[in-house]
Amino acid sequence: MAVIRDVMPAFELFQPATVDETLGLLERHGADAWIMAGGLDTFDWLKDRIKRPSVVVDLSQMQELRGIREAGGRLEIGALTTLTEVAEHPLVRMQFGLLAQAAELVASPQIRNQGTLGGNVSQDTRCWYYRSGWSCYRAGGNICYADSPTAINREHAILGASRCVAVSPSDTAPALIALGAEFVLRSGAGERVVAAEDYFVGPEIDITRMTARRPDELLTTIRVPAAFAGAQFYFEKVRDRQVWDFPLVNVASAMRLSGGTIQQIRLAVGAVAPRPLRLTEVELAVTGQPRNEQTAAMAGELATVGAVPLRHNGYKILLMQNLVKRAVRGGPLRGDGA
Amino acid sequence: MAEHRFIGQNYTTPDLVAKVTGKAKYAEDFRAEGMLFAKLLLSPMPHARVSRIDTSAALALPGVRAILTADDMPEPADSVDDTGRVIRANRRAERALTNEPLYEGEPILAVAADDELTAAEAVERIQIEFEPLPFAVDPLVSLRPGGPAARTEGNVWFRPPTPPAEPSQPPPPQPPIDVRDLKWTAEQFAEADEGRLPMGEVLDEWEYGDLEAGFTQAALVLDETFVTSNTSHQPMETRTSMAYWQNGRVYVHCSTQSVVQTVAAVSRWLGIPQTDIVVVSEYTGGGFGSKITSAISLVIPALLSKKANAPVMMRLTREEEQYVGRSRPSLHARIKAGFSKEGRLLALDFFGISESGPYEGGQDHNTSGRIVSLLYQPVAMRFRGLGVMSNTPPRGPQRAPGGAQGVAVMEPVLAKAADRLGIDQVAIHRINAPEGKAPIGGPLPQGGRAHVTSAFVKEALDKGRELFKWEERKARSGQRTGSSVRGIGVAVSAYSAGSIGFDGLFVIKPDGKVYIQSGIGNHGTESVIDVHRVVAEVLDVSWEKCEITWGNTGKHMPWTCVSGGSQTAHAMTRAAHATAMDARTKLQEIAAKTLGGSPASYRVAGERVSGPGGSLTLAQAAQKAIELGGKYDGHGAPENINAFTKRSVAALAGQGLLAVARDTYPRDGISNSYVAGFAEVEVDLETGQYRVLDYLAVADVGTVLHPRSVGGQIMGGSLQGIGHAMTQKWVYDQQYGVPLAKRFYQTRPATILDAPARMEWAAVDIPDPETPVGVRGVGEPPVGAGLAAVANAVADAVGHDVFRRFPVTCDVVLTSLANGRRVTDPLTANI
Amino acid sequence: MDFLTWGINPWRQPVLTHISWDLFWASLFAGLMFLVAHASYMILAAHRKRSAEETDAMEAVYKDLPHQIERHTLMARLFHWVMAAAMFVLLLTAFLPIAGIRFAWVEWHWIAGLVLTGSIIYHVIHATFFLDFWSIWIGPKDIPELKAEILRGLGRDVPGPKPGKYPLGNRLYHMASVVVGLAAAVTGILMMSRIRTPLVPRNPYLFSDTTWGITYLLHGAAGVALVGLVIAHVYFAVRPEKWWITKGMILGWITRRDYLQHHDPDRWKLRERKAPTAAQF
Ligand SMILES: Cc1cc2nc3c(=O)[nH]c(=O)nc-3n(C[C@H](O)[C@H](O)[C@H](O)COP(=O)(O)OP(=O)(O)OC[C@H]3O[C@@H](n4cnc5c(N)ncnc54)[C@H](O)[C@@H]3O)c2cc1C
């Protein structure tokens, strides 16, 4: 059978208006159904005829999953809220600027107008070998094309790889982890809530999926607790181009200071591992330390312990170190420098 | 012309409103009764032979109408050029479909069906098997002893010697180019391990001056390896075409840079006479050299339409565009340069390899050598170059083909020399800059070297230095504040900018309006309209009275240059000038005939022809022309115009005063245009990222014809070059020889947010002395300047031992700085 | 049910990726069914036992033999149990994720694989040079025993022939384990170049797609077969009438009575050795 790409095949389209209807469809069609939110990841797969669901469940009609509400200091963000809405919402900007910054740096304005927060955290990796539709580990096969003696893996993982070396591409994920967000998942069987960092799974656990979401589950809400409201935030994303580009490395931190001392911190890094990494050890090490260059440098060093570079991505170690440093320091090195 | 009414003035081109309101009809906006859609089956392997095709399941699908395969392709036929010389067809040339694909993504067959979805399903149902063959996606790998060759016959093109003429016979035609295998030795490759480009046997070579002496005298000798990237053209409009046949004529709606010349191209591809071809292309969404006359994307629907006996449209997807849409070949270069202590380039030993793809295109290294010889005027120079085939998509000319690469690899050497010698960057460019009728290229067969029509590069550098406040910025360059450091860079660039000898055609009708026939393509440069401002200028008619017809060869166009090599503005202003002069002469003659007196005593101005006997309006003169007939209304045509133009003249005859002429103005030298680019960057040492804060391009493009168009070309071309410097590239998997970066977001051309925060342009605006309007082309030279000025600015900020290949991305900067030397693999292609 | 799982390589050629995991379920099912069937049969078919008198008579003849007959040396036992542990780790890490229980299994799997391979190498050397190498193999001389075993299995009362050191079933099992275990170990070692370990450089292109396909197929098939074999092995090990063998593998010796009852002293000749002291009893 010959292969053709970039032409969307036919499928049955459902546009349910309510969560219950959606769950019913997911239950009925099981693994044959594909959930579509903004479609920016979805359409790539469909157009390339690599993922061939017979049923597409388009969530665009579900008003109940749109919008941002405040409930007792915490935010409830509907999974279908667009990234633009997230980035521009006054509550997000005022209290959880970290998330606004992250959302604002995703892709391009067009994509942010269409892409949803739920889709952004649930999106698949962009490993170009995997995206080419070959039977790599992630596609159910038994080979990783990205980690071979000749592979081009500049954008791949330095940490947490297990057979598969693809990275988590999301910009909002590290921010949500740093904020201690929770993801609400619903299925016919009921509701469960998982911590942001547990929503993402690495290949060592499940090599064909990026998240802990089961196929019959719908991500309905993202809850951002009040814990870090108005804290000191830092987000930075390094990419090749200033728009339309996924992160090479991104970093998110939420910090509370008392005097010059770091009292509490949550720190997460994206695009260095198959899942966004929360840097618990760094958090522990810097908590109680003064926020200064020395602590920042120590954090940077510690962050990449155990990193294994591939042929073309050694720079990610330096980059991750420097970004973690900046997250702790609160910005680029200023002044006259050395 | 002293005072210009139109030339040098801004105005709104007549195609603009349609473009910005979405009313413009591009190729895919056309429909024809019963139109089918075509989809392609592409090769999954970089080099293979089709061993079995079974289309039965596809043909059984309802709605599938026809399948076109390589067997339906016409044999490449010999052709005869204008001088009657036979051009032997290259039998190894690219055809639209093939059974021996030479790159992943090469079209194997095409299916026509009622709609695209059906066509795609049909492609999927085709049972096809391939036998993989050895392949190379890296020119150096192919040159290694025992390395694979891109084609079964070898890895380089060469031209076999022409057999001697038989006594009393005309000389036999030159044989077509052919393929042979070329390998370098293991000893030659030893240098590769140290990151230096090995230098083995080459096929293209020239030399002038005393190279040895130059190096001996030199105060500084640098030996550097630089590699540029393959970059796809990626125009916004993928190449769509629609074709149908009527009464033995083929009508093609397509996306092309050159309307009239596309007729000639289609005629060659399909082997049918030009008179049986009508090309319609009113709007083209960019080409950058990849759509000079359009090609296989147009041949497939044309042949498929014939086979299916119905109109066929083929819309290429973005991925297909990546495969068949052409690209700029990369250049692997080794440069040995000797400078005097004042910075004068005494000796240049330039060695360059183009990765030329599997077909004829992509021999860019030759132009690199020429442009470098022009731009830096080395006292002595040796050029050695080789195009090495690879199993990657075919190369084509891309905006300053060869020029941009040559500049890219030379400029860092110049900047480094300036640094080592303690000379200012602008000064080292100035001391080496071409001036006036500067020589270009290697020795000519008849001796001596060719020269350009003019060059005002020093003027451009001086103007730029001032406008850019170079000295002020220099004071703060290299200074570190925190993690950020700034740098400034300057680079010069040149490219061919004009051809000669084409025709112009217009009719002044009895309604008093001037109906201008434009055979130029409308691909965004606006030359399709701009060049005709010359007609209004010469005849002194208001622009509102000029109606321009373009985009359809069925509407009778004059023979026109291809829009490529920045030649249009030059070539077609000359033709427009010649034609306007023809109209002026005819008006004078008509006035003299009607009102008495000598033609010379009549003046054409203010939309009248006036003289001793009174005056005629243009409308009256047009009416008179019809009455007079003969050459005045097109019933007679000059001998020297092209046959194509003659047919158009015949078709338009009798409608008014018909002006037609061929550009026969003399020209001493080869026309080239120049740009000096100035950039300031800020590098973040903690991330390796950098931003271009400010960019200024100062152009020497002769007379500025239409400032907004010139500005658009300079800014666009600069940004394209800046993209080459910063992000754009190809990525190939070496194991399977297939591309990994296939989509816009992966190949990373520059985006608007990568554009410098401030970007400006200026022009020296000195008329070229060798053309009547003084205009030279502008499209191409901005690219190299943009590319290299940014690269030089980065080097100025972080040092000259940071990069040796393009694009210069943050990983390169970061790792080099951390290691204190360049660590990125310099030679492997497409990483 | 598909037996094989196919994928597609970058040249869009079909590549064999592994056996279908349906086969795992089939093997598991077959192993369990055998177990149920055999157990039921054993209960229903009131299995024949050799008469106690026969053994009593032999005891009289061989009364010089020690009470504890050494059956497995400490090293042999160590080998067996290390291998068993490795095997369990291997099977659990291989098949639990397939069964839907997800955890980070790869490291455990290859480390256990290396342990298994190491112990196999040790065993081969040990058995070749230090043990009665041939005692575990089967040959034409086992035909009478096979015949008798089958008949006995069918409930017929047949006398003799008794096995040497290893009962025929044991030896047949060993045979199957050798084939399957070696296949799994050899392919597994090769497969280590497909993953990142500190030991071998990762190179998925070491072999052609076809060779890899066959490697994965063999590894998978061997793994699946081992599921069945291990189930059977464990089942027999815990069956009451075989318990003396299991005990032998734990303690290293069997009683004289078991020796005489289950073995043909001519086929399992005990080497001259000192009688065990009472303390050891
Ligand atoms: C060119 C390009 C550049 C990009 N650059 C970036 C970037 O720099 N940073 C970045 O973070 N992202 C980037 N993206 C991704 C983009 O931002 C989208 O946000 C993201 O791909 C998916 O969002 P979506 O709403 O379009 O989801 P979809 O594409 O519709 O869905 C994505 C996945 O999530 C699942 N899904 C979606 N919603 C739900 C739900 N409510 N419950 C359960 N499952 C769900 C879908 O089944 C699908 O598997 C880029 C995308 C493109 C095309």
Side-chain angles (χ1 to χ4, degrees), chain B residues 209-387:
Chain B
D210 188 343
L211 204 64
E212 277 314 305
F215 282 123
T216 320
Q217 288 164 29
L220 172 75
V221 177
L222 296 175
D223 179 356
E224 298 282 335
T225 293
F226 282 102
V227 179
T228 70
S229 186
N230 290 293
T231 51
S232 294
H233 294 70
Q234 290 169 320
M236 286 303 287
E237 184 200 11
T238 60
R239 52 210 68 220
T240 292
S241 321
M242 191 261 278
Y244 57 90
W245 297 74
Q246 241 167 42
N247 288 333
R249 294 183 111 191
V250 64
Y251 292 76
V252 280
H253 292 258
C254 62
S255 177
T256 178
Q257 290 175 219
S258 328
V259 174
V260 162
Q261 291 285 342
T262 299
V263 172
V266 174
S267 155
R268 281 194 301 275
W269 278 94
L270 299 183
I272 56 173
Q274 291 189 7
T275 42
D276 286 343
I277 299 161
V278 175
V279 167
V280 182
S281 175
E282 293 172 14
Y283 294 87
T284 290
F288 311 111
S290 71
K291 296 178 184 168
I292 289 186
T293 56
S294 239
I296 70 165
S297 50
L298 175 158
V299 175
I300 293 168
L303 291 172
L304 198 46
S305 162
K306 194 167 197 178
K307 192 163 181 178
N309 196 20
V312 172
M313 173 176 280
M314 186 169 78
R315 305 191 307 155
L316 286 198
T317 65
R318 187 51 67 187
E319 176 157 322
E320 288 163 340
E321 181 73 19
Q322 176 74 18
Y323 293 127
V324 308
R326 312 292 109 162
S327 108
R328 180 196 297 282
S330 65
L331 183 74
H332 283 65
R334 175 97 175 258
I335 288 152
K336 192 176 165 197
F339 295 88
S340 74
K341 66 179 192 308
E342 296 77 28
R344 181 75 181 102
L345 183 55
L346 300 177
L348 175 63
D349 194 1
F350 186 100
F351 186 97
I353 300 170
S354 305
E355 184 193 331
S356 63
Y359 294 111
E360 302 99 302
Q363 305 290 320
D364 283 19
H365 54 279
N366 287 314
T367 316
S368 301
R370 278 170 69 78
I371 291 295
V372 161
S373 76
L374 168 64
L375 269 177
Y376 311 104
Q377 295 290 305
V379 177
M381 175 170 174
R382 172 163 68 157
F383 164 79
R384 285 175 295 166
L386 182 67

